[in-house]
Amino acid sequence: MNFFLLEAVANAGGAIGAGLGAIGAGVGIGQIGKGALESIARQPEAINDIRSNMILTAALVEGAALFAIIIGFLAMVL
Amino acid sequence: MRSKSIKSLLAAVFSLGVLLFSQPAKAQHEEHKEPAKDSAKKEKIFDANEVIFGHIMDAHEFHFFSWKGSDGHQHHATIPLPVILYTKEKGLSVFMSSAFHHGEHNHEGFGLLTNEKIDELKLDRNKYAAGHIVAVNAAGEIDQAAKVYDFSLTRNVVQMLLALTLLVFILIKVARRYGTGVGITSAPKGMQNTMETIVNFVNDEIAKPNLGAKSSKYLPYLLTVFLFILINNIVGLIPGTANVTGNIAFTFVLSMISFVVILFSSNMHYWGHIINPPGVPGWVKIILVPVEILGIFTKPFALMIRLFANMVAGHILIICLISLIFIMAALNQYVGWGFSPFSIAFTIFIYFIEVLVAFLQAFIFTILTGVFIGQAIEGAHDDHGDHAHAAAH
């Protein structure tokens, strides 16, 4: 009985952690997209530079979210 | 008002608890009553977990599908792969994985673990996993003391080698064609168009902006990484193939190579900024220097996790959407049929996103490698610029 409860709590903890990580990354990538769109609207000729920098920054933000998801996954498995 | 909300909270917690503990108990109870029907039912519900991990993890065979034949036995459509094992007692043993009959038989004193076997023998899940090969004695019991070193050509290895062969074949064909003069004096033909676009893209978007004057020195490495990750991502998207780039060992080796390249191309300026950051007060250095030193290792670690997690997440998403049909069908056959069009539509949508992600992750791995190498060689470039500036004055 205790074992099932422990496992359920671990699963819930992992899932909540992954969800919180996803929220953070969502806000972050949204901000990046907003900034990129605004700057493209302001300077359409700089679209190529802005696009590659946007993808790079989004990848870095996403990396942080993926760490959260991996840790959440480990909380479930271990 | 407050007591009411507490009451409803308590009710919710209680019902959640009842739900948690009643499921296993109920399943066991039914198992005794109707073993035949319930085992099939349980298999279907349990399948989702097993199917997902069966697709994500490495295996000793390419498994396509299973069906229940007219003789009542479970049949599997698979391509067996060679198993290479080393033990101290027996030395090297080489045989095909079909000798295990999907875990039903033991061969030459070795046995393949399956989920059913682990549950049946109550093995430690932290130590044993489905798909591992263990040593067994004459009576068929698992020999816990014997250590088996598994050097098998698993499906990830075989698929990686196949993808590599395909890539080398394409590149050699393109290179030969340039040798005959097509593409130099005339317009490029066929595969040359694709390769020229990719090489130009990596050169203009990744190498030149980050590495500047030294870009031609690092372009071969960046192109190799880009094409290798890309071909493995794309081959991994074909249904029935293995998930090579979603294997942590694969991404670990790639990031380690990048790490070594970054370290070997670093200069004194880079290390100076890490060990003794200029223009920083002494007490801040106590915090900053450990963080900077940690930063050397987190860069390749982030590269490893990013590629791994992205590819695994994509594969899990697709297989989950497909599994949803069978989870629904376990409730009711018609719900399953009704749900399948939505599930398939979503799957196709995610599949197209995955094609985008295959390119994007190859690009991101390469550009981040380029950025990190650029940081490591930055000082020399700046010094060079300063000298040129001074000379101009």
Side-chain angles (χ1 to χ4, degrees):
Chain A
M1 187 157 165
N2 216 353
F3 174 75
F4 283 117
L5 190 67
L6 263 179
E7 203 176 85
V9 168
N11 282 351
I16 290 168
L20 288 176
I23 288 175
V27 171
I29 293 175
Q31 291 276 350
I32 294 163
K34 172 174 170 272
L37 276 183
E38 280 176 0
S39 34
I40 288 169
R42 211 168 279 173
Q43 268 183 299
E45 67 275 10
I47 185 162
N48 280 328
D49 285 349
I50 292 167
R51 193 196 292 125
S52 57
N53 279 315
M54 180 186 80
I55 291 173
L56 188 65
T57 324
L60 290 171
V61 171
E62 191 198 49
L66 291 173
F67 279 131
I69 286 166
I70 292 288
I71 301 289
F73 190 70
L74 286 180
M76 284 171 145
V77 172
L78 296 181
Chain B
M1 189 66 198
R2 173 167 281 183
S3 71
K4 219 175 194 177
S5 64
I6 289 171
K7 222 181 193 176
S8 54
L9 194 72
L10 275 178
V13 168
F14 177 69
S15 43
L16 197 71
V18 168
L19 199 73
L20 280 175
F21 303 128
S22 67
Q23 273 323 71
K26 197 181 155 200
Q28 272 173 1
H29 182 66
E30 276 182 12
E31 200 169 28
H32 288 296
K33 234 166 73 181
E34 299 177 286
K37 201 179 162 191
D38 192 66
S39 68
K41 212 177 185 181
K42 209 175 137 198
E43 214 172 77
K44 258 180 196 166
I45 295 165
F46 185 60
D47 229 2
N49 204 350
E50 205 187 303
V51 162
I52 288 166
F53 280 95
H55 277 262
I56 298 306
M57 299 308 231
D58 206 357
H60 287 283
E61 62 195 8
F62 279 100
H63 182 254
F64 296 108
F65 53 88
S66 307
W67 76 97
K68 205 164 219 171
S70 51
D71 53 350
H73 286 291
Q74 197 80 6
H75 294 274
H76 303 277
T78 59
I79 301 175
L81 295 172
V83 175
I84 304 163
L85 301 170
Y86 178 79
T87 47
K88 266 194 190 130
E89 297 81 38
K90 282 180 240 170
L92 215 60
S93 341
V94 181
F95 51 92
M96 292 302 277
S97 69
S98 52
F100 286 131
H101 292 272
H102 314 289
E104 288 162 15
H105 293 245
N106 294 330
H107 185 80
E108 290 181 13
F110 296 108
L112 184 69
L113 285 177
T114 57
N115 272 322
E116 292 89 47
K117 256 193 207 173
I118 293 172
D119 286 342
E120 203 182 299
L121 300 170
K122 293 195 174 62
L123 295 171
D124 185 7
R125 280 267 178 191
N126 293 330
K127 222 174 139 192
Y128 297 101
H132 282 194
I133 290 176
V134 289
V136 292
N137 57 22
E141 287 160 344
I142 290 169
D143 189 357
Q144 310 241 1
K147 183 101 184 79
V148 180
Y149 296 94
D150 193 348
F151 299 106
S152 307
L153 290 177
T154 56
R155 62 175 182 176
N156 277 357
V157 180
V158 169
Q159 194 189 304
M160 191 187 77
L161 292 177
L162 284 177
L164 195 60
T165 316
L166 180 70
L167 180 65
V168 169
F169 174 73
I170 291 171
L171 287 177
I172 286 178
K173 209 176 149 202
V174 167
R176 282 235 177 98
R177 196 172 268 179
Y178 278 113
T180 61
V182 180
I184 299 169
T185 51
S186 64
K189 261 187 189 169
M191 230 28 209
Q192 280 183 324
N193 289 305
T194 320
M195 294 316 299
E196 271 194 18
T197 314
I198 290 174
V199 172
N200 261 338
F201 174 75
V202 174
N203 189 29
D204 294 348
E205 297 287 321
I206 298 172
K208 277 203 177 136
N210 294 311
L211 299 165
K214 283 192 174 177
S215 68
S216 59
K217 188 180 160 193
Y218 291 101
L219 187 61
Y221 174 65
L222 295 177
L223 268 172
T224 309
V225 167
F226 184 83
L227 288 170
F228 188 53
I229 295 174
L230 182 65
I231 195 102
N232 274 307
N233 279 350
I234 288 175
V235 172
L237 279 177
I238 301 167
T241 55
N243 179 21
V244 176
T245 35
N247 183 317
I248 194 98
F250 178 89
T251 56
F252 172 75
V253 171
L254 275 178
S255 68
M256 271 298 125
I257 296 169
S258 281
F259 184 46
V260 168
V261 171
I262 292 164
L263 285 190
F264 270 87
S265 49
S266 62
N267 54 17
M268 287 310 287
H269 183 261
Y270 172 73
W271 290 104
H273 269 259
I274 286 169
I275 291 159
N276 187 19
V280 175
W283 58 275
V284 179
K285 275 181 192 169
I286 298 167
I287 307 164
L288 200 61
V289 171
V291 170
E292 287 278 354
I293 288 170
L294 210 62
I296 302 170
F297 300 101
T298 53
K299 281 171 192 167
F301 187 71
L303 279 181
M304 169 178 91
I305 295 291
R306 185 176 295 109
L307 181 60
F308 163 73
N310 264 294
M311 297 321 290
V312 165
H315 283 252
I316 287 181
L317 205 56
I318 287 178
I319 203 75
C320 272
L321 282 169
I322 297 283
S323 298
L324 266 182
I325 298 175
F326 299 98
I327 292 168
M328 293 285 173
L331 301 173
N332 183 335
Q333 196 189 345
Y334 301 103
V335 177
W337 278 108
F339 190 75
S340 43
F342 299 101
S343 178
I344 288 166
F346 264 113
T347 308
I348 292 168
F349 170 64
I350 296 290
Y351 191 87
F352 280 118
I353 288 185
E354 278 307 298
V355 175
L356 173 72
V357 166
F359 281 92
L360 199 62
Q361 288 308 317
F363 170 62
I364 284 171
F365 195 101
T366 319
I367 197 171
L368 284 176
T369 305
V371 167
F372 296 151
I373 294 172
Q375 283 173 356
I377 63 170
E378 194 176 32
H381 182 69
D382 273 0
D383 285 348
H384 187 73
D386 284 348
H387 286 308
H389 198 65
H393 276 277

